[in-house]
Amino acid sequence: MAEIIKCVAIDDEPLALEVIKQFCHRLGGIELTTFSNPEMGLDYIRDNKTDIVFLDIEMGDVSGLQVASRLPDETCFIFTTAYLHYAIDGYDLDAVDYLHKPFSYARFQSAFGKALRRLGRKQLRSSGQSIVVKQDYNNINIPLDDILYIEAMEGYSKIFRVSGTCVITRMILKNLSAMLPPDDFMRIHRSYIVSRSKVKSFNKQEVILNSGVTLPVGRQYAADIVKTLMK
């Protein structure tokens, strides 16, 4: 039986916890428990065996730096924060890594690998086969191979699937992009992400998908798209 890595994430932002949850799901083999209340998270860690802790630094009146200093000595932790100026303090506390929000899946995977090496544990094999998004009150599991493209709308995103259906979620395109493997998906416009394997033809003005859908290319993305897709 595969070894389960037990993790805890503490952050007062629900969206930040959701991103970590999605990334852990993609890695597989992780049992994640989340807390928006730092003291409750700290109590849980003290009472339950925890391998890795993802810890925000600024959480209202509570500092993640203070929480880190109160963790059990053997705890392996990674800071997740939007404030770069805390980096030195974080490393002084012997943090494994420092993830600057918003961080990508690849960056998350790298930090997680460092934590496993410190623990002397084997690397997990990433499944990378699906993402889970919320539509209304339901969690929808979407295989990566079934994603054709994603369109940003005002306050939400539309995920167009190869199967012909469309999932509408209130996640913004930027956060969805962070959940997707960069080798398989690319931003072509401020309003569009496409699956690279579904691209039939392209130029600096537009991308045509296998389904026949034509999407515009944003000027700032044009050079990178041509360079990437020509590889």
Side-chain angles (χ1 to χ4, degrees):
M1 182 178 293
E3 186 178 24
I4 298 296
I5 307 298
K6 296 185 177 181
C7 299
V8 167
I10 304 175
D11 199 307
D12 61 347
E13 297 179 12
L15 181 57
L17 291 176
E18 182 62 28
V19 169
I20 293 174
K21 187 183 300 183
Q22 295 279 354
F23 287 174
C24 286
H25 174 75
R26 282 180 59 186
L27 277 173
I30 299 171
E31 180 183 301
L32 177 69
T33 306
T34 62
F35 294 92
S36 56
N37 183 301
E39 291 298 329
M40 290 179 64
L42 187 57
D43 288 342
Y44 178 90
I45 293 166
R46 287 169 171 167
D47 295 337
N48 297 272
K49 180 183 181 300
T50 302
D51 296 310
I52 302 171
V53 176
F54 299 97
L55 182 61
D56 188 22
I57 291 184
E58 287 211 350
M59 296 179 284
D61 296 331
V62 180
S63 168
L65 297 172
Q66 296 173 340
V67 174
S69 67
R70 297 163 60 194
L71 291 171
D73 291 338
E74 68 278 10
T75 306
C76 195
F77 61 95
I78 297 168
F79 281 123
T80 61
T81 181
Y83 302 95
L84 281 173
H85 62 274
Y86 287 118
I88 295 177
D89 293 330
Y91 285 120
D92 285 345
L93 287 168
D94 202 26
V96 171
D97 208 339
Y98 183 99
L99 292 174
H100 183 219
K101 298 177 182 177
F103 47 86
S104 67
Y105 173 70
R107 184 68 185 86
F108 176 88
Q109 193 175 29
S110 173
F112 194 87
K114 289 181 184 178
L116 289 182
R117 288 193 292 273
R118 180 176 291 191
L119 291 169
R121 309 282 280 274
K122 293 181 179 180
Q123 294 282 346
L124 297 174
R125 183 178 180 182
S126 175
S127 60
Q129 295 182 358
S130 65
I131 59 172
V132 179
V133 300
K134 188 175 289 294
Q135 179 174 253
D136 296 327
Y137 298 102
N138 298 314
N139 292 310
I140 309 296
N141 185 72
I142 306 176
L144 295 183
D145 287 343
D146 194 31
I147 298 176
L148 185 61
Y149 69 98
I150 305 173
E151 180 180 5
M153 307 298 285
E154 188 173 350
Y156 60 94
S157 298
K158 297 173 70 175
I159 303 173
F160 292 85
R161 305 173 66 169
V162 175
S163 56
T165 59
C166 176
V167 174
I168 299 175
T169 177
R170 286 200 171 275
M171 292 188 69
I172 62 173
L173 201 64
K174 181 179 180 180
N175 294 327
L176 277 172
S177 178
M179 294 165 57
L180 298 168
D183 290 340
D184 300 326
F185 293 85
M186 64 187 306
R187 189 84 171 257
I188 65 167
H189 187 278
R190 65 179 183 179
S191 298
Y192 295 102
I193 291 173
V194 300
S195 169
R196 290 175 57 177
S197 66
K198 310 299 190 302
V199 175
K200 180 179 180 180
S201 62
F202 63 93
N203 55 47
K204 291 185 177 181
Q205 286 76 44
E206 62 185 23
V207 166
I208 301 175
L209 304 181
N210 292 334
S211 64
V213 172
T214 299
L215 301 174
V217 169
R219 184 177 301 176
Q220 69 185 93
Y221 302 95
D224 286 340
I225 289 171
V226 173
K227 181 180 178 181
T228 300
L229 294 178
M230 287 294 288
K231 289 181 179 178

